[in-house]
Amino acid sequence: MSIERLQVLITGQVQGVGFRPHVYHIAHQLQLTGSVKNTADGVLVEIQGLLTDNFLAKLTASLPSLARVDGIKTKKTTLLPDEIDFQILKSDAGAVQTMIAPDTSICSACLQELFDPKSRYYHYPFLNCTQCGPRLTLTRNLPYDRHQTSMDAFPLCNECQRDYADPLNRRYHAQPTACVQCGPRLSHSMDRITDAISEGKIIALKGVGGYQLICDARNDEAIRKLRRRKNRDEKPLAVMFANVNSLHNTVLFDLQEEELLVSRARPIVLLKKHVSVNNVEMLSKSIAPGLSHLGIMLPSSPLHYLLFHALAGFPSEFNWSEKSIPNALVVTSANISGNPLIMDDSEAQDQLASIADLVVSFNRKIITRADDSVVRVVCKSPLFIRRARGYAPTPIKLPYAIPSTLALGGALKNTFCITRNDEAFVSQHIGGLTNKSTIEFFHESLIHWTRLLNVKIERIACDSHPDFYTSQLAHDYHLDIVPVQHHHAHLASVAAEHHIIQPALGLALDGYGYGSDGGAWGGELMLFDSFHIQRLANLSPIPHPGNDLAAREPWRMGAAVLHTLGLNHLIVERFSNEPRAHELATFLKSSARIPMTTSCGRLFDAASALLGLTPVSSFEGQAAMQLESLVTELDVLSNGWYFENGQLNLLPTLKQLLTLDPVKGANLFHGTLIAALTEWITTIAQRISNHIIVLAGGCFLNKVLAEGLTERLTQRGFKVYLPQQLPPNDGGLSLGQAVIAGTNSCV
Ligand code: ZN
Ligand code: ZN
Ligand code: FE
């Protein structure tokens, strides 16, 4: 064995995650000399000694928990005979740290310190280390350094400075590190906060990515008050529990769902309600009325843990993982209907005074908002409903590099996407660009992300809808604009994350997208790649009375279907509670030109209304969610559909619903829809000899539909792809737009 010297370049998420101390540790253990530093490409290491092979093995065997290694390149280099130690060097001048990590829940080492009376972090709600804590939401600029974050207002005390400078300390270069001596302070005592919660009050609590409204999840009165004050009738609320062991009589979950719950991103996970949750007085019934699933999350910040500890009466011994803790908290974004989550302290004082009984703050500024992420497990993979805190800004790897493109996304559930080489950075969930505050949030975030990514945008992509805010904004950039058809973007987004580059079949099922013919599309079977789409077939159009109004008032779609079935005379009787039923029946009968839609989302609305479930929605998607919640066992009406000129028509099934109770109806509608789609797709796929199929669009948030269709198509020999890294709904559009625009500029 002889002494050698290696140069090692490590790329990926390796900066600002404790990577250099990790390298330093290993070099020390193996008695190697050399150095480590951050460069524009990643982390560059030089090692010299006897056991350089062991170094590489150890390096990858245990990575810091936030690190992700994409590549390691090594080369031999000239020995430096006089070198005597291993050093951490300053970053290269001009080297930009490639990206920051997402905000991450408290790590186990910090959690231990939080409840250790001997630790100087004991009960300090803002402790963190290189392995945990806020990142995206407090970083103003790169390179990721304390003075570029909102922690610049808190000079380190001597003890923190010592830890920060010690390469063998967990807080070595932990930019947001702080302690009770030098860090941010909470505005109220834990006693005061938990007393308020126990008294049934609503508190607004500043969190990592914005304010949250919190109340006791078992207090029906408190929740009704929250709903009343927030003007949120029935939309489900998320519930936070202290740990997994506290969930057993509330929801059902498997290992994979548990992994998501405890993952460092700590998303809200949709879980099936346990039967006993309705019998026992465990949770208020007004949390998710009419739905079979609950949104559950575990504490993500030290402050959340302190809250549960205080609610339990400050026990001195507290084992977070083993004990079941009865307290449960409703935790929901603090915003004024439709506006973005509030992050500013003075705005919170002004705007939340009418909702919260107590506004609890701390003096660290939030730089950019991030809502809680929401996921559910579908086909044994996570499916995003909303992607924000804990996931953004992790990039999605593209199958190939494209010129830097900014895709502006859609109108609702907006996200935007910026590409850099073969990486796509999709923003945190922004929301519906329908009001001034959300549009401001969009612009703030766009400026923030453009600054962090430091790329020169060459091309703009937007939806082909001419009236969307984002489509008009595209012109302000004075760059090439690529308008992308809505469903093409949905499908290309899923294809991009799975690296599918050949032409594939795509089934896009959603609420509304602007069609190539200007029509209201939303049930489309296409052949597509990153360049083209060919609309092979679609759901048979049904009347769409009142366009946007029809989405909010499913009874209108029920009436439209009755009219199409030749049962106009039943409209008034069936929807007797709707004051405008007579007017709509007359309009449908007498009007020569009623707008039509191929939307699958509107088909769900019609089915729900015909079963008497949700005549008027109090939140988007309510009708479809309630219908899905009722499914017990799929049932197929064998003559429930027919094909006409390649179009799929489900009117016979909708007619049958008129004779059924809601549970039977939900079973029949889902079962028949899945069977019909399978037949339809199989017939067309055989004709064009393509058996790769991509599923996209908001309807695939429906687990029954997504799993049922995937299973059937797989049995027929299809290779089926659902999105896993972005939501199937409009939150995923921007990635598809970016890939299409970027790919088209390559030829
Ligand atoms: Zn930590
Ligand atoms: Zn300190
Ligand atoms: Fe859509």
Side-chain angles (χ1 to χ4, degrees):
M1 232 177 346
S2 62
I3 289 183
E4 60 176 1
R5 186 175 185 86
L6 280 186
Q7 202 176 61
V8 186
L9 176 69
I10 304 130
T11 54
Q13 187 169 288
V14 289
Q15 297 181 355
V17 294
F19 206 87
R20 289 174 302 158
H22 174 62
V23 169
Y24 183 90
H25 264 279
I26 299 169
H28 256 240
Q29 278 174 5
L30 299 175
Q31 298 182 321
L32 301 171
T33 63
S35 63
V36 56
K37 67 178 176 183
N38 284 334
T39 72
D41 298 318
V43 167
L44 186 69
V45 185
E46 293 216 354
I47 38 164
Q48 178 170 307
L50 282 173
L51 296 165
T52 48
D53 281 353
N54 285 7
F55 173 81
L56 290 176
K58 274 193 172 248
L59 184 77
T60 45
S62 66
L63 288 173
S65 55
L66 300 184
R68 192 194 67 244
V69 169
D70 292 339
I72 297 181
K73 277 188 206 153
T74 57
K75 71 171 184 206
K76 283 203 173 161
T77 173
T78 327
L79 287 176
L80 296 179
D82 298 335
E83 193 174 66
I84 51 161
D85 60 1
F86 191 91
Q87 290 185 345
I88 297 183
L89 303 179
K90 271 201 170 347
S91 304
D92 274 358
V96 171
Q97 292 193 317
T98 49
M99 201 50 199
I100 47 174
D103 303 301
T104 304
S105 70
I106 180 171
C107 72
S108 51
C110 284
L111 187 58
Q112 192 104 46
E113 287 171 331
L114 184 64
F115 292 103
D116 175 5
K118 291 191 288 296
S119 165
R120 66 189 190 90
Y121 299 100
Y122 181 60
H123 286 189
Y124 180 59
F126 305 103
L127 86 166
N128 61 78
C129 72
T130 49
Q131 302 309 303
C132 74
R135 294 289 185 276
L136 175 72
T137 51
L138 57 60
T139 306
R140 217 178 273 122
N141 218 335
L142 288 178
Y144 174 60
D145 235 329
R146 191 175 180 93
H147 74 272
Q148 308 261 40
T149 71
S150 57
M151 287 304 290
D152 62 351
F154 304 94
L156 292 168
C157 69
N158 288 342
E159 277 177 292
C160 283
Q161 178 60 45
R162 194 191 58 214
D163 291 351
Y164 181 89
D166 174 7
L168 292 173
N169 192 291
R170 202 171 87 247
R171 296 194 169 84
Y172 176 70
H173 282 207
Q175 307 304 347
T177 191
C179 74
V180 69
Q181 299 303 323
C182 63
R185 300 281 175 112
L186 199 62
S187 62
H188 295 73
S189 71
M190 290 315 291
D191 275 333
R192 177 91 194 277
I193 302 167
T194 47
D195 282 353
I197 293 173
S198 308
E199 286 162 16
K201 290 186 173 149
I202 296 162
I203 62 160
L205 180 68
K206 190 174 181 179
V208 167
Y211 277 81
Q212 296 179 313
L213 293 167
I214 296 184
C215 69
D216 183 351
R218 291 173 304 174
N219 187 330
D220 214 40
E221 184 53 41
I223 293 163
R224 271 184 278 141
K225 188 164 65 182
L226 173 66
R227 287 197 177 280
R228 209 169 44 239
R229 291 186 187 169
K230 215 187 163 198
N231 200 4
R232 180 166 164 149
D233 287 350
E234 289 175 29
K235 197 172 175 184
L237 297 161
V239 186
M240 186 183 277
F241 283 85
N243 58 24
V244 170
N245 279 339
S246 311
L247 294 174
H248 290 289
N249 290 319
T250 308
V251 282
L252 301 166
F253 54 96
D254 61 19
L255 208 61
Q256 200 179 7
E257 289 165 327
E258 179 174 339
E259 272 171 22
L260 270 172
L261 280 170
V262 302
S263 69
R264 304 297 298 276
R266 294 285 155 96
I268 296 169
V269 185
L270 279 200
L271 299 173
K272 201 166 173 60
K273 285 179 183 168
H274 193 286
V275 277
S276 64
V277 80
N278 294 322
N279 308 334
V280 189
E281 280 305 306
M282 300 178 57
L283 282 185
S284 154
K285 295 196 179 31
S286 2
I287 288 175
L291 300 178
S292 57
H293 285 67
L294 278 175
I296 302 286
M297 67 175 139
L298 299 184
S300 54
S301 72
L303 190 48
H304 291 146
Y305 277 103
L306 288 173
L307 212 55
F308 278 103
H309 182 247
L311 284 167
F314 303 98
S316 53
E317 288 287 310
F318 212 54
N319 189 330
W320 284 103
S321 52
E322 278 162 29
K323 222 173 128 200
S324 164
I325 295 157
N327 303 89
L329 298 170
V330 160
V331 177
T332 183
S333 314
N335 58 354
I336 310 295
S337 57
N339 285 351
L341 164 81
I342 291 175
M343 65 168 180
D344 184 80
D345 298 332
S346 57
E347 249 175 58
Q349 293 295 346
D350 291 352
Q351 297 187 22
L352 296 176
S354 57
I355 302 178
D357 301 300
L358 184 68
V359 178
V360 180
S361 177
F362 53 80
N363 53 345
R364 183 185 77 213
K365 228 178 132 164
I366 298 173
I367 301 296
T368 191
R369 280 169 253 252
D371 246 304
D372 292 321
S373 295
V374 189
V375 290
R376 79 188 303 186
V377 172
V378 170
C379 295
K380 301 197 166 35
S381 290
L383 186 82
F384 280 94
I385 295 157
R386 183 166 73 197
R387 182 184 181 268
R389 179 185 56 72
Y391 297 97
T394 307
I396 291 153
K397 202 94 179 143
L398 300 175
Y400 43 78
I402 56 173
S404 289
T405 303
L406 164 62
L408 297 166
L412 300 173
K413 300 187 188 62
N414 177 278
T415 62
F416 57 82
C417 171
I418 299 172
T419 70
R420 187 172 69 183
N421 302 318
D422 63 349
E423 289 182 315
F425 295 85
V426 177
S427 73
Q428 73 271 47
H429 166 85
I430 306 279
L433 300 179
T434 49
N435 58 63
K436 192 166 156 274
S437 319
T438 312
I439 289 174
E440 279 167 10
F441 174 31
F442 174 87
H443 284 282
E444 272 163 34
S445 310
L446 191 52
I447 291 168
H448 187 231
W449 284 64
T450 313
R451 195 169 51 212
L452 291 180
L453 286 162
N454 192 28
V455 291
K456 187 171 181 297
I457 303 294
E458 295 172 44
R459 183 162 282 241
I460 303 290
C462 62
D463 195 276
S464 58
H465 196 303
D467 301 333
F468 278 0
Y469 174 77
T470 40
S471 311
Q472 295 178 355
L473 179 71
H475 294 279
D476 292 358
Y477 287 86
H478 306 291
L479 290 168
D480 285 348
I481 299 172
V482 181
V484 179
Q485 198 277 322
H486 189 90
H487 302 99
H488 191 193
H490 267 308
L491 298 168
S493 173
V494 184
E497 64 157 281
H498 290 288
H499 292 193
I500 301 167
I501 48 177
Q502 68 271 47
L505 280 165
L507 177 67
L509 302 180
D510 71 354
Y512 168 79
Y514 186 79
S516 307
D517 59 3
W521 290 13
E524 315 302 315
L525 184 58
M526 295 170 156
L527 182 66
F528 78 104
D529 59 20
S530 296
F531 299 98
H532 312 103
I533 35 164
Q534 186 189 346
R535 191 188 197 200
L536 297 170
N538 48 269
L539 297 184
S540 289
I542 47 175
H544 193 208
N547 288 327
D548 285 355
L549 204 56
R552 287 196 297 273
E553 300 187 2
W555 74 270
R556 289 174 184 270
M557 289 311 301
V561 165
L562 284 176
H563 174 78
T564 314
L565 287 167
L567 302 171
N568 189 294
H569 59 281
L570 292 182
I571 294 175
V572 174
E573 176 196 319
R574 206 81 194 176
F575 302 110
S576 54
N577 289 335
E578 302 307 324
R580 309 192 66 173
H582 182 75
E583 188 189 328
L584 181 58
T586 314
F587 169 77
L588 287 164
K589 210 158 38 183
S590 58
S591 183
R593 289 187 47 172
I594 302 165
M596 304 293 276
T597 182
T598 58
S599 162
C600 186
R602 296 297 83 80
L603 214 56
F604 270 92
D605 288 345
S608 175
L610 292 175
L611 289 166
L613 280 173
T614 324
V616 176
S617 290
S618 79
F619 60 92
E620 199 208 335
Q622 185 182 18
M625 283 163 75
Q626 292 199 328
L627 198 60
E628 179 192 354
S629 285
L630 291 176
V631 174
T632 51
E633 196 178 0
L634 293 180
D635 191 8
V636 180
L637 181 66
S638 53
N639 54 357
W641 72 91
Y642 58 90
F643 302 132
E644 45 180 3
N645 310 320
Q647 295 181 346
L648 171 59
N649 193 315
L650 284 143
L651 280 175
T653 304
L654 293 171
K655 189 172 183 184
Q656 187 71 21
L657 298 184
L658 295 171
T659 64
L660 298 177
D661 68 56
V663 173
K664 284 204 171 105
N667 287 337
L668 191 79
F669 180 74
H670 280 84
T672 311
L673 177 64
I674 292 164
L677 288 169
T678 309
E679 280 309 315
W680 188 47
I681 293 165
T682 309
T683 311
I684 292 171
Q686 272 161 359
R687 207 176 69 215
I688 59 164
S689 304
N690 192 323
H691 288 79
I692 300 168
I693 184 154
V694 165
L695 307 178
C699 293
F700 287 105
L701 291 175
N702 182 317
K703 186 175 162 105
V704 175
L705 172 65
E707 291 188 338
L709 188 59
T710 302
E711 191 188 319
R712 289 240 182 172
L713 288 172
T714 308
Q715 282 165 359
R716 300 273 181 113
F718 283 89
K719 186 91 186 97
V720 187
Y721 293 93
L722 274 164
Q724 292 172 351
Q725 299 187 60
L726 289 178
N729 63 28
D730 287 7
L733 278 181
S734 61
L735 173 66
Q737 293 174 351
V739 170
I740 292 166
T743 308
N744 277 277
S745 65
C746 293
V747 290

